[in-house]
Amino acid sequence: MLNVVIFGAPGSGKGTQSDLIIKEFGLDHISTGDVLRAEMKEGTELGKIADDYIVKGQLVPDELIIDMLAKVLDGKEGSKGVVFDGFPRTILQAEALKKMLNERGTDVTLMINLHVEEDELMNRLLERGKISGRSDDNIDTIKSRLDVYRLQIAPLAEYYMKEGKRYAVNGVGTIEEIFERIKEIINRYL
Ligand code: AMP
């Protein structure tokens, strides 16, 4: 399987680039943020708990996310590979993902680390907020999401660096330009 972790701050383009990757390479897409938003919309127990964290821009607790991810992954059996978007966000999640994939005879193939400066992220997220309808695309929540990224999530890049799987990609440019950079890296693994 070709398993790609797409990693970067909120607003760095993970969702946009994930869509292009899955189309180009015939992979499945798992976005934990999308799964949580669907749970919230359905008003499930998990959705209600997640809502409290998401509106504050904080991370949903690891055990909830890991259980949720395991269930979603079970539904992807027979897949050519998966793009993990917004997961993992902590070392514990990364270790859990490795274990889950190893049990299925596979592993994370590579990690794409999109890099965009904070000013640009703020502009992009405020623009997105005008149309996304997301409860967390407002200035206060964006600020805390960027703090959470810098302090809690960004250090995870080191984990994949040590595994020799991390590729830093400049996330500024047109969508097509950025996708070309990513494609060039993924093609090395085919
Ligand atoms: P996203 O759509 O990836 O920007 O995620 C939106 C929000 O969902 C985040 O700010 C977190 O509150 C929550 N979330 C999504 N994925 C995770 C994860 N892997 N671990 C913890 N919280 C998450």
Side-chain angles (χ1 to χ4, degrees):
M1 281 171 83
L2 177 71
N3 296 308
V4 179
V5 170
I6 185 136
F7 187 85
S12 60
K14 299 189 295 293
T16 304
Q17 294 298 330
S18 293
D19 286 342
L20 295 173
I21 298 169
I22 60 163
K23 282 196 198 106
E24 176 80 18
F25 298 99
L27 307 179
D28 283 297
H29 183 199
I30 300 180
S31 154
T32 43
D34 284 350
V35 179
L36 290 169
R37 280 183 288 276
E39 296 275 341
M40 280 158 57
K41 212 169 156 195
E42 283 170 37
T44 65
E45 204 50 45
L46 172 61
K48 283 178 196 151
I49 299 169
D51 200 5
D52 290 340
Y53 293 92
I54 291 177
V55 291
K56 293 185 200 135
Q58 294 169 356
L59 293 180
V60 175
D62 281 332
E63 58 276 17
L64 295 179
I65 293 286
I66 291 166
D67 276 358
M68 179 182 94
L69 196 275
K71 287 189 195 114
V72 180
L73 201 54
D74 279 340
K76 305 282 182 205
E77 228 171 292
S79 165
K80 259 178 83 179
V82 176
V83 175
F84 295 93
D85 164 7
F87 179 93
R89 270 173 152 102
T90 64
I91 302 275
L92 210 80
Q93 292 180 17
E95 285 169 346
L97 177 62
K98 186 175 179 64
K99 189 158 167 269
M100 277 186 257
L101 291 176
N102 286 173
E103 281 165 6
R104 290 163 174 81
T106 182
D107 204 344
V108 168
T109 312
L110 70 145
M111 183 264 227
I112 299 284
N113 192 168
L114 288 172
H115 184 79
V116 177
E117 295 295 335
E118 277 203 18
D119 288 356
E120 168 75 9
L121 293 169
M122 180 61 89
N123 289 338
R124 289 187 187 181
L125 290 166
L126 287 173
E127 277 305 307
R128 186 173 82 182
K130 291 179 189 164
I131 47 166
S132 71
R134 277 175 56 159
S135 62
D136 57 352
D137 282 344
N138 61 76
I139 190 140
D140 289 336
T141 312
I142 292 169
K143 277 186 187 151
S144 61
R145 286 160 70 205
L146 292 176
D147 286 343
V148 165
Y149 176 74
R150 198 177 336 99
L151 299 170
Q152 292 178 259
I153 305 172
L156 180 59
E158 188 125 343
Y159 174 93
Y160 286 106
M161 211 138 50
K162 284 190 188 131
E163 297 226 326
K165 293 178 177 171
R166 176 205 180 237
Y167 293 85
V169 170
N170 176 4
V172 179
T174 66
I175 291 172
E176 294 75 23
E177 280 164 358
I178 299 162
F179 183 51
E180 282 303 316
R181 295 171 196 151
I182 294 175
K183 227 166 42 174
E184 192 265 316
I185 295 163
I186 297 179
N187 274 326
R188 296 181 208 168
Y189 286 84
L190 297 178

